[in-house]
Amino acid sequence: MKDLNLDWANLPFGYIPTDYNVRCRYANGKWGEIEVSTSETVDLHIAATCLHYGQEIFEGLKAFRGKDGKVRVFRMRENAKRIRSSAEGLCMQPVPEDLFCEMVEKVVRLNARFIPPYGSGASLYIRPLEIGITPSVGVKSSTEYLFIILVSPVGPYFKTGFKPTDICIMRQYDRVAPKGTGRWKTGGNYAASLMSGNHAHELGYSAVLYLDPREKKYLDECGPANFFAIKDGKYITPASDSILPSVTNKSLMQLCDDMGIDVEARHIAVDELKEVTEAGACGTAAVISPVREIDDLDTGDKYVVSADGEPGPISTMLYNKLRGIQLGEEEDVHGWNSVFEGI
């Protein structure tokens, strides 16, 4: 058993070894039994399709220790559906939803001592991934797959926490191609964002706000997360075939509907940024990362979203409501949480 000497309130968002991971193999036309492993490595053939042809997909979700002591996993079924969509998009064998959920619960229970305590601001990050493992030097789909779920206790994705940061637009970079792999959660999309992300960080920005890869006229994704803004009291978010459908963004739109806030998922022109009063990046890792200023490095335009450097009222309300649901502080009227008893 690994030593458990963690400063829960100051955890990084990174990998911390835990006790177990769970695995399941697909071979001979069927998924096998769930395996529990203490190994942090995978034995792969050097010609495995995941290494040569990018047959790799993953997910991200979290487990929380609530104020009532119960453990909740947020929207597990939505992640199960999304990884299935990713598998279909990359011609991989989809993991059945029930198997996905069974393995999530199993790995959380096995690593229960790594679930951060309520009030620490930390959570247990759950990372499911599927890879093609059939040896092949020809470009074709694998016939065998390995599905793994690992976990790690994590702190906030951005060190600043729920505080506005500056982001930038750089037209020389695209994250994905039009109608390409953007709507699926595959590692290649993130590899394609590393150069622009590193460039942005060197210039002092927290992330890149990408434009649509076809016309460079409309807002797309915000680095590793979906983008949203508040304009005329409405929640607006880009609609595009290139954008990963974020579970968090979907949840925020539902909360807006619950609160009587109009929602528009549509093309958002860059010029509209001068009219927004709040903006943020949203995703599992950060929930909401508010935006202070958006700098267009090609045109020189600067769009100041938060003049006082504080999150806006609607963003704050949505953040607190979603976090409250995850932690059992707010009523879960939509049944988003899977509650694991006896942990």
Side-chain angles (χ1 to χ4, degrees), residues 54 56-58 86 90 174-177 180-196 210 221 223-224 241-245:
E56 180 274 344
I57 54 179
F58 67 101
S86 295
L90 272 74
D174 283 326
R175 188 183 67 90
V176 294
T181 59
R183 70 209 114 149
W184 304 310
K185 199 168 179 70
T186 180
N189 296 342
Y190 296 82
S193 72
L194 292 176
M195 181 177 289
S196 55
Y210 294 94
E221 280 209 298
D241 289 336
S242 300
I243 294 174
L244 181 73

Side-chain angles (χ1 to χ4, degrees), residues 72-280:
R72 293 170 171 81
V73 174
F74 186 69
R75 306 209 72 172
M76 177 172 63
R77 287 277 173 185
E78 285 298 314
N79 289 97
K81 293 174 183 176
R82 191 169 67 177
I83 200 170
R84 182 180 185 87
S85 175
S86 295
E88 292 168 349
L90 272 74
C91 297
M92 299 171 66
Q93 181 63 36
V95 176
E97 287 183 26
D98 287 345
L99 176 61
F100 179 98
C101 295
E102 181 182 355
M103 291 177 66
V104 168
E105 180 167 359
K106 192 173 191 69
V107 77
V108 169
R109 288 186 179 277
L110 287 169
N111 294 285
R113 69 195 188 102
F114 288 93
I115 302 172
Y118 172 73
S120 65
S123 57
L124 185 71
Y125 187 75
I126 305 166
R127 169 56 59 84
L129 67 146
E130 182 182 352
I131 54 176
I133 58 176
T134 302
S136 177
V137 292
V139 182
K140 58 184 179 181
S141 300
S142 182
T143 58
E144 298 173 292
Y145 295 91
L146 177 61
F147 180 58
I148 305 171
I149 306 184
L150 60 92
V151 297
S152 177
V154 297
Y157 187 77
F158 292 106
K159 293 180 180 179
T160 53
F162 187 63
K163 296 289 286 184
T165 62
D166 295 346
I167 62 176
C168 66
I169 295 171
M170 294 188 283
R171 287 173 178 76
Q172 70 266 44
Y173 298 110
D174 283 326
R175 188 183 67 90
V176 294
K179 296 186 181 296
T181 59
R183 70 209 114 149
W184 304 310
K185 199 168 179 70
T186 180
N189 296 342
Y190 296 82
S193 72
L194 292 176
M195 181 177 289
S196 55
N198 290 341
H199 189 180
H201 294 157
E202 290 169 359
L203 296 174
Y205 298 98
S206 65
V208 177
L209 176 55
Y210 294 94
L211 302 185
D212 74 281
R214 186 186 298 278
E215 299 181 84
K216 300 288 188 179
K217 292 181 179 179
Y218 305 102
L219 306 182
D220 209 74
E221 280 209 298
C222 185
N226 276 193
F227 176 81
F228 75 89
I230 305 299
K231 177 186 174 184
D232 299 328
K234 298 178 181 179
Y235 183 102
I236 61 174
T237 190
S240 165
D241 289 336
S242 300
I243 294 174
L244 181 73
S246 163
V247 175
T248 303
N249 198 6
K250 183 177 181 179
S251 304
L252 294 174
M253 286 189 276
Q254 179 61 62
L255 292 179
C256 282
D257 188 59
D258 294 345
M259 297 173 181
I261 299 169
D262 290 337
V263 173
E264 294 180 351
R266 59 172 175 80
H267 289 314
I268 302 172
V270 177
D271 283 350
E272 284 192 65
L273 288 174
K274 65 182 69 171
E275 301 169 22
V276 306
T277 53
E278 301 179 42

Side-chain angles (χ1 to χ4, degrees), residues 65-69 115-121 327 329:
R65 179 77 67 183
K67 65 181 297 185
D68 55 6
I115 302 172
Y118 172 73
S120 65
L327 294 170
E329 299 168 345

